[in-house]
Amino acid sequence: MQSKLKCIDTCGVLNLHGWPGLMGGFAAVFVIDGINKANQLKGIAITIIVALLAGYITGKILSAFGRKAIVYADSDEFADAEA
């Protein structure tokens, strides 16, 4: 994701919530009897759109405050703890 889309998922939200939620949403179409499949698929599509928009807006807001030189380094936040 980092090399293709030029974005960083530092908290692992996509792997922790995104893919399992998507798989669960699609699995419900096949597993749950009597489910309205069209509504389920519409709900999945709406959820993806809202998640992408919210992530994009949040990313733009956070990047306005600056970026770290080294992405996964916590030394900036914990530099005073050693003293």
Side-chain angles (χ1 to χ4, degrees):
M1 188 164 101
Q2 188 171 350
S3 64
K4 301 286 185 204
L5 300 176
K6 305 290 188 239
C7 60
I8 299 168
D9 184 12
T10 57
C11 296
V13 173
L14 181 64
N15 291 327
L16 184 63
H17 298 289
W19 294 122
L22 191 62
M23 289 178 9
F26 282 122
V29 172
F30 302 106
V31 174
I32 306 297
D33 292 330
I35 193 170
N36 186 334
K37 294 178 183 185
N39 284 344
Q40 181 72 11
L41 295 175
K42 286 178 194 174
I44 292 170
I46 291 169
T47 301
I48 290 171
I49 291 167
V50 169
L52 289 172
L53 286 173
Y56 179 78
I57 292 168
T58 302
K60 288 297 180 185
I61 291 170
L62 291 176
S63 67
F65 290 103
R67 295 179 181 246
K68 297 180 85 167
I70 302 171
V71 181
Y72 295 106
D74 290 334
S75 59
D76 295 343
E77 287 80 12
F78 297 106
D80 295 334
E82 295 177 7

